[in-house]
mmCIF file with all atom_site columns, all heavy atoms in Angstrom:
data_model
loop_
_atom_site.group_PDB
_atom_site.id
_atom_site.type_symbol
_atom_site.label_atom_id
_atom_site.label_alt_id
_atom_site.label_comp_id
_atom_site.label_asym_id
_atom_site.label_entity_id
_atom_site.label_seq_id
_atom_site.pdbx_PDB_ins_code
_atom_site.Cartn_x
_atom_site.Cartn_y
_atom_site.Cartn_z
_atom_site.occupancy
_atom_site.B_iso_or_equiv
_atom_site.pdbx_formal_charge
_atom_site.auth_seq_id
_atom_site.auth_comp_id
_atom_site.auth_asym_id
_atom_site.auth_atom_id
_atom_site.pdbx_PDB_model_num
ATOM 1   N N   . VAL A 1 255 ? 23.124 10.863 11.067  1.00 81.00 ? 323 VAL A N   1
ATOM 2   C CA  . VAL A 1 255 ? 22.357 10.236 12.122  1.00 81.00 ? 323 VAL A CA  1
ATOM 3   C C   . VAL A 1 255 ? 22.539 10.980 13.410  1.00 81.00 ? 323 VAL A C   1
ATOM 4   O O   . VAL A 1 255 ? 21.673 11.194 14.228  1.00 81.00 ? 323 VAL A O   1
ATOM 5   C CB  . VAL A 1 255 ? 22.681 8.742  12.316  1.00 81.00 ? 323 VAL A CB  1
ATOM 6   C CG1 . VAL A 1 255 ? 21.995 8.137  13.524  1.00 81.00 ? 323 VAL A CG1 1
ATOM 7   C CG2 . VAL A 1 255 ? 22.350 7.977  10.994  1.00 81.00 ? 323 VAL A CG2 1
ATOM 8   N N   . GLU A 1 256 ? 23.725 11.500 13.547  1.00 81.00 ? 324 GLU A N   1
ATOM 9   C CA  . GLU A 1 256 ? 24.094 12.267 14.837  1.00 81.00 ? 324 GLU A CA  1
ATOM 10  C C   . GLU A 1 256 ? 23.421 13.652 14.849  1.00 81.00 ? 324 GLU A C   1
ATOM 11  O O   . GLU A 1 256 ? 23.495 14.357 15.853  1.00 81.00 ? 324 GLU A O   1
ATOM 12  C CB  . GLU A 1 256 ? 25.616 12.443 14.968  1.00 81.00 ? 324 GLU A CB  1
ATOM 13  C CG  . GLU A 1 256 ? 26.363 11.032 15.107  1.00 81.00 ? 324 GLU A CG  1
ATOM 14  C CD  . GLU A 1 256 ? 26.509 10.400 13.729  1.00 81.00 ? 324 GLU A CD  1
ATOM 15  O OE1 . GLU A 1 256 ? 26.324 11.115 12.675  1.00 81.00 ? 324 GLU A OE1 1
ATOM 16  O OE2 . GLU A 1 256 ? 26.959 9.274  13.628  1.00 81.00 ? 324 GLU A OE2 1
ATOM 17  N N   . GLY A 1 257 ? 22.933 14.041 13.709  1.00 82.00 ? 325 GLY A N   1
ATOM 18  C CA  . GLY A 1 257 ? 22.321 15.411 13.639  1.00 82.00 ? 325 GLY A CA  1
ATOM 19  C C   . GLY A 1 257 ? 23.156 16.453 12.965  1.00 82.00 ? 325 GLY A C   1
ATOM 20  O O   . GLY A 1 257 ? 22.684 17.571 12.613  1.00 82.00 ? 325 GLY A O   1
ATOM 21  N N   . ASN A 1 258 ? 24.498 16.164 12.759  1.00 85.00 ? 326 ASN A N   1
ATOM 22  C CA  . ASN A 1 258 ? 25.312 17.243 12.176  1.00 85.00 ? 326 ASN A CA  1
ATOM 23  C C   . ASN A 1 258 ? 25.109 17.277 10.620  1.00 85.00 ? 326 ASN A C   1
ATOM 24  O O   . ASN A 1 258 ? 24.608 16.366 10.060  1.00 85.00 ? 326 ASN A O   1
ATOM 25  C CB  . ASN A 1 258 ? 26.811 16.936 12.476  1.00 85.00 ? 326 ASN A CB  1
ATOM 26  C CG  . ASN A 1 258 ? 27.132 15.467 12.005  1.00 85.00 ? 326 ASN A CG  1
ATOM 27  O OD1 . ASN A 1 258 ? 26.527 14.479 12.344  1.00 85.00 ? 326 ASN A OD1 1
ATOM 28  N ND2 . ASN A 1 258 ? 28.243 15.429 11.261  1.00 85.00 ? 326 ASN A ND2 1
ATOM 29  N N   . LEU A 1 259 ? 25.453 18.385 10.007  1.00 89.00 ? 327 LEU A N   1
ATOM 30  C CA  . LEU A 1 259 ? 25.324 18.611 8.632   1.00 89.00 ? 327 LEU A CA  1
ATOM 31  C C   . LEU A 1 259 ? 26.654 18.498 7.879   1.00 89.00 ? 327 LEU A C   1
ATOM 32  O O   . LEU A 1 259 ? 27.683 19.102 8.369   1.00 89.00 ? 327 LEU A O   1
ATOM 33  C CB  . LEU A 1 259 ? 24.708 19.978 8.342   1.00 89.00 ? 327 LEU A CB  1
ATOM 34  C CG  . LEU A 1 259 ? 23.268 20.230 8.864   1.00 89.00 ? 327 LEU A CG  1
ATOM 35  C CD1 . LEU A 1 259 ? 22.813 21.622 8.628   1.00 89.00 ? 327 LEU A CD1 1
ATOM 36  C CD2 . LEU A 1 259 ? 22.329 19.288 8.113   1.00 89.00 ? 327 LEU A CD2 1
ATOM 37  N N   . LEU A 1 260 ? 26.652 17.761 6.794   1.00 89.00 ? 328 LEU A N   1
ATOM 38  C CA  . LEU A 1 260 ? 27.971 17.648 6.003   1.00 89.00 ? 328 LEU A CA  1
ATOM 39  C C   . LEU A 1 260 ? 27.605 18.167 4.623   1.00 89.00 ? 328 LEU A C   1
ATOM 40  O O   . LEU A 1 260 ? 26.531 17.855 4.029   1.00 89.00 ? 328 LEU A O   1
ATOM 41  C CB  . LEU A 1 260 ? 28.404 16.152 5.878   1.00 89.00 ? 328 LEU A CB  1
ATOM 42  C CG  . LEU A 1 260 ? 28.937 15.596 7.291   1.00 89.00 ? 328 LEU A CG  1
ATOM 43  C CD1 . LEU A 1 260 ? 29.294 14.190 7.009   1.00 89.00 ? 328 LEU A CD1 1
ATOM 44  C CD2 . LEU A 1 260 ? 30.048 16.400 7.796   1.00 89.00 ? 328 LEU A CD2 1
ATOM 45  N N   . PRO A 1 261 ? 28.521 18.858 3.907   1.00 90.00 ? 329 PRO A N   1
ATOM 46  C CA  . PRO A 1 261 ? 28.242 19.280 2.532   1.00 90.00 ? 329 PRO A CA  1
ATOM 47  C C   . PRO A 1 261 ? 28.056 18.095 1.560   1.00 90.00 ? 329 PRO A C   1
ATOM 48  O O   . PRO A 1 261 ? 28.737 17.076 1.742   1.00 90.00 ? 329 PRO A O   1
ATOM 49  C CB  . PRO A 1 261 ? 29.411 20.061 2.160   1.00 90.00 ? 329 PRO A CB  1
ATOM 50  C CG  . PRO A 1 261 ? 30.141 20.489 3.505   1.00 90.00 ? 329 PRO A CG  1
ATOM 51  C CD  . PRO A 1 261 ? 29.771 19.286 4.381   1.00 90.00 ? 329 PRO A CD  1
ATOM 52  N N   . LEU A 1 262 ? 27.105 18.228 0.748   1.00 89.00 ? 330 LEU A N   1
ATOM 53  C CA  . LEU A 1 262 ? 26.824 17.167 -0.305  1.00 89.00 ? 330 LEU A CA  1
ATOM 54  C C   . LEU A 1 262 ? 27.884 17.196 -1.268  1.00 89.00 ? 330 LEU A C   1
ATOM 55  O O   . LEU A 1 262 ? 28.402 18.320 -1.714  1.00 89.00 ? 330 LEU A O   1
ATOM 56  C CB  . LEU A 1 262 ? 25.453 17.236 -0.931  1.00 89.00 ? 330 LEU A CB  1
ATOM 57  C CG  . LEU A 1 262 ? 24.283 16.807 -0.143  1.00 89.00 ? 330 LEU A CG  1
ATOM 58  C CD1 . LEU A 1 262 ? 22.956 17.139 -0.891  1.00 89.00 ? 330 LEU A CD1 1
ATOM 59  C CD2 . LEU A 1 262 ? 24.319 15.297 0.051   1.00 89.00 ? 330 LEU A CD2 1
ATOM 60  N N   . PRO A 1 263 ? 28.314 16.073 -1.842  1.00 88.00 ? 331 PRO A N   1
ATOM 61  C CA  . PRO A 1 263 ? 29.301 16.109 -2.923  1.00 88.00 ? 331 PRO A CA  1
ATOM 62  C C   . PRO A 1 263 ? 28.811 16.743 -4.251  1.00 88.00 ? 331 PRO A C   1
ATOM 63  O O   . PRO A 1 263 ? 29.535 17.217 -5.030  1.00 88.00 ? 331 PRO A O   1
ATOM 64  C CB  . PRO A 1 263 ? 29.579 14.513 -3.232  1.00 88.00 ? 331 PRO A CB  1
ATOM 65  C CG  . PRO A 1 263 ? 28.481 13.804 -2.577  1.00 88.00 ? 331 PRO A CG  1
ATOM 66  C CD  . PRO A 1 263 ? 27.997 14.646 -1.425  1.00 88.00 ? 331 PRO A CD  1
ATOM 67  N N   . GLN A 1 264 ? 27.408 16.698 -4.436  1.00 90.00 ? 332 GLN A N   1
ATOM 68  C CA  . GLN A 1 264 ? 26.868 17.341 -5.594  1.00 90.00 ? 332 GLN A CA  1
ATOM 69  C C   . GLN A 1 264 ? 25.645 18.181 -5.108  1.00 90.00 ? 332 GLN A C   1
ATOM 70  O O   . GLN A 1 264 ? 24.983 17.866 -4.152  1.00 90.00 ? 332 GLN A O   1
ATOM 71  C CB  . GLN A 1 264 ? 26.236 16.303 -6.552  1.00 90.00 ? 332 GLN A CB  1
ATOM 72  C CG  . GLN A 1 264 ? 27.239 15.919 -7.652  1.00 90.00 ? 332 GLN A CG  1
ATOM 73  C CD  . GLN A 1 264 ? 26.574 15.210 -8.791  1.00 90.00 ? 332 GLN A CD  1
ATOM 74  O OE1 . GLN A 1 264 ? 25.548 14.465 -8.617  1.00 90.00 ? 332 GLN A OE1 1
ATOM 75  N NE2 . GLN A 1 264 ? 26.951 15.435 -10.036 1.00 90.00 ? 332 GLN A NE2 1
ATOM 76  N N   . HIS A 1 265 ? 25.536 19.417 -5.702  1.00 94.00 ? 333 HIS A N   1
ATOM 77  C CA  . HIS A 1 265 ? 24.427 20.259 -5.366  1.00 94.00 ? 333 HIS A CA  1
ATOM 78  C C   . HIS A 1 265 ? 23.227 20.086 -6.378  1.00 94.00 ? 333 HIS A C   1
ATOM 79  O O   . HIS A 1 265 ? 23.411 19.902 -7.571  1.00 94.00 ? 333 HIS A O   1
ATOM 80  C CB  . HIS A 1 265 ? 24.851 21.705 -5.458  1.00 94.00 ? 333 HIS A CB  1
ATOM 81  C CG  . HIS A 1 265 ? 25.857 22.074 -4.319  1.00 94.00 ? 333 HIS A CG  1
ATOM 82  N ND1 . HIS A 1 265 ? 26.462 23.304 -4.269  1.00 94.00 ? 333 HIS A ND1 1
ATOM 83  C CD2 . HIS A 1 265 ? 26.206 21.423 -3.249  1.00 94.00 ? 333 HIS A CD2 1
ATOM 84  C CE1 . HIS A 1 265 ? 27.245 23.343 -3.207  1.00 94.00 ? 333 HIS A CE1 1
ATOM 85  N NE2 . HIS A 1 265 ? 27.100 22.190 -2.572  1.00 94.00 ? 333 HIS A NE2 1
ATOM 86  N N   . HIS A 1 266 ? 22.075 20.031 -5.736  1.00 96.00 ? 334 HIS A N   1
ATOM 87  C CA  . HIS A 1 266 ? 20.819 19.806 -6.531  1.00 96.00 ? 334 HIS A CA  1
ATOM 88  C C   . HIS A 1 266 ? 19.833 20.940 -6.359  1.00 96.00 ? 334 HIS A C   1
ATOM 89  O O   . HIS A 1 266 ? 19.819 21.603 -5.221  1.00 96.00 ? 334 HIS A O   1
ATOM 90  C CB  . HIS A 1 266 ? 20.132 18.528 -6.191  1.00 96.00 ? 334 HIS A CB  1
ATOM 91  C CG  . HIS A 1 266 ? 21.126 17.334 -6.163  1.00 96.00 ? 334 HIS A CG  1
ATOM 92  N ND1 . HIS A 1 266 ? 21.710 16.837 -7.397  1.00 96.00 ? 334 HIS A ND1 1
ATOM 93  C CD2 . HIS A 1 266 ? 21.592 16.509 -5.164  1.00 96.00 ? 334 HIS A CD2 1
ATOM 94  C CE1 . HIS A 1 266 ? 22.397 15.829 -7.076  1.00 96.00 ? 334 HIS A CE1 1
ATOM 95  N NE2 . HIS A 1 266 ? 22.404 15.611 -5.780  1.00 96.00 ? 334 HIS A NE2 1
ATOM 96  N N   . VAL A 1 267 ? 18.977 21.107 -7.285  1.00 97.00 ? 335 VAL A N   1
ATOM 97  C CA  . VAL A 1 267 ? 17.754 22.045 -7.169  1.00 97.00 ? 335 VAL A CA  1
ATOM 98  C C   . VAL A 1 267 ? 16.515 21.226 -7.249  1.00 97.00 ? 335 VAL A C   1
ATOM 99  O O   . VAL A 1 267 ? 16.329 20.439 -8.112  1.00 97.00 ? 335 VAL A O   1
ATOM 100 C CB  . VAL A 1 267 ? 17.842 23.096 -8.257  1.00 97.00 ? 335 VAL A CB  1
ATOM 101 C CG1 . VAL A 1 267 ? 16.548 23.989 -8.185  1.00 97.00 ? 335 VAL A CG1 1
ATOM 102 C CG2 . VAL A 1 267 ? 19.068 23.986 -8.071  1.00 97.00 ? 335 VAL A CG2 1
ATOM 103 N N   . ASP A 1 268 ? 15.645 21.468 -6.238  1.00 96.00 ? 336 ASP A N   1
ATOM 104 C CA  . ASP A 1 268 ? 14.267 20.832 -6.280  1.00 96.00 ? 336 ASP A CA  1
ATOM 105 C C   . ASP A 1 268 ? 13.289 21.887 -5.997  1.00 96.00 ? 336 ASP A C   1
ATOM 106 O O   . ASP A 1 268 ? 13.226 22.515 -4.887  1.00 96.00 ? 336 ASP A O   1
ATOM 107 C CB  . ASP A 1 268 ? 14.312 19.783 -5.056  1.00 96.00 ? 336 ASP A CB  1
ATOM 108 C CG  . ASP A 1 268 ? 12.947 19.313 -4.655  1.00 96.00 ? 336 ASP A CG  1
ATOM 109 O OD1 . ASP A 1 268 ? 12.037 19.486 -5.523  1.00 96.00 ? 336 ASP A OD1 1
ATOM 110 O OD2 . ASP A 1 268 ? 12.767 18.844 -3.569  1.00 96.00 ? 336 ASP A OD2 1
ATOM 111 N N   . THR A 1 269 ? 12.394 22.087 -6.942  1.00 97.00 ? 337 THR A N   1
ATOM 112 C CA  . THR A 1 269 ? 11.451 23.221 -6.759  1.00 97.00 ? 337 THR A CA  1
ATOM 113 C C   . THR A 1 269 ? 10.024 22.580 -6.844  1.00 97.00 ? 337 THR A C   1
ATOM 114 O O   . THR A 1 269 ? 9.806  21.530 -7.450  1.00 97.00 ? 337 THR A O   1
ATOM 115 C CB  . THR A 1 269 ? 11.490 24.270 -7.807  1.00 97.00 ? 337 THR A CB  1
ATOM 116 O OG1 . THR A 1 269 ? 10.829 23.781 -9.083  1.00 97.00 ? 337 THR A OG1 1
ATOM 117 C CG2 . THR A 1 269 ? 12.903 24.590 -8.258  1.00 97.00 ? 337 THR A CG2 1
ATOM 118 N N   . GLY A 1 270 ? 9.020  23.246 -6.209  1.00 95.00 ? 338 GLY A N   1
ATOM 119 C CA  . GLY A 1 270 ? 7.722  22.807 -6.143  1.00 95.00 ? 338 GLY A CA  1
ATOM 120 C C   . GLY A 1 270 ? 6.682  23.920 -6.124  1.00 95.00 ? 338 GLY A C   1
ATOM 121 O O   . GLY A 1 270 ? 6.860  24.822 -5.255  1.00 95.00 ? 338 GLY A O   1
ATOM 122 N N   . MET A 1 271 ? 5.857  23.953 -7.062  1.00 97.00 ? 339 MET A N   1
ATOM 123 C CA  . MET A 1 271 ? 4.772  25.024 -7.084  1.00 97.00 ? 339 MET A CA  1
ATOM 124 C C   . MET A 1 271 ? 3.430  24.333 -7.283  1.00 97.00 ? 339 MET A C   1
ATOM 125 O O   . MET A 1 271 ? 3.192  23.635 -8.247  1.00 97.00 ? 339 MET A O   1
ATOM 126 C CB  . MET A 1 271 ? 4.992  26.012 -8.269  1.00 97.00 ? 339 MET A CB  1
ATOM 127 C CG  . MET A 1 271 ? 3.993  27.069 -8.383  1.00 97.00 ? 339 MET A CG  1
ATOM 128 S SD  . MET A 1 271 ? 4.439  28.503 -9.380  1.00 97.00 ? 339 MET A SD  1
ATOM 129 C CE  . MET A 1 271 ? 5.028  27.779 -10.864 1.00 97.00 ? 339 MET A CE  1
ATOM 130 N N   . GLY A 1 272 ? 2.537  24.548 -6.262  1.00 95.00 ? 340 GLY A N   1
ATOM 131 C CA  . GLY A 1 272 ? 1.216  23.939 -6.417  1.00 95.00 ? 340 GLY A CA  1
ATOM 132 C C   . GLY A 1 272 ? 0.392  24.518 -7.570  1.00 95.00 ? 340 GLY A C   1
ATOM 133 O O   . GLY A 1 272 ? 0.156  25.793 -7.552  1.00 95.00 ? 340 GLY A O   1
ATOM 134 N N   . LEU A 1 273 ? -0.055 23.725 -8.416  1.00 97.00 ? 341 LEU A N   1
ATOM 135 C CA  . LEU A 1 273 ? -0.875 24.114 -9.597  1.00 97.00 ? 341 LEU A CA  1
ATOM 136 C C   . LEU A 1 273 ? -2.039 24.847 -9.198  1.00 97.00 ? 341 LEU A C   1
ATOM 137 O O   . LEU A 1 273 ? -2.469 25.860 -9.705  1.00 97.00 ? 341 LEU A O   1
ATOM 138 C CB  . LEU A 1 273 ? -1.183 22.964 -10.504 1.00 97.00 ? 341 LEU A CB  1
ATOM 139 C CG  . LEU A 1 273 ? -2.033 23.279 -11.672 1.00 97.00 ? 341 LEU A CG  1
ATOM 140 C CD1 . LEU A 1 273 ? -1.336 24.271 -12.714 1.00 97.00 ? 341 LEU A CD1 1
ATOM 141 C CD2 . LEU A 1 273 ? -2.562 22.056 -12.492 1.00 97.00 ? 341 LEU A CD2 1
#
Side-chain angles (χ1 to χ4, degrees):
V323 176
E324 300 80 11
N326 57 308
L327 296 174
L328 295 178
L330 280 173
Q332 268 196 326
H333 290 173
H334 308 292
V335 173
D336 164 21
T337 83
M339 176 161 56
L341 175 66

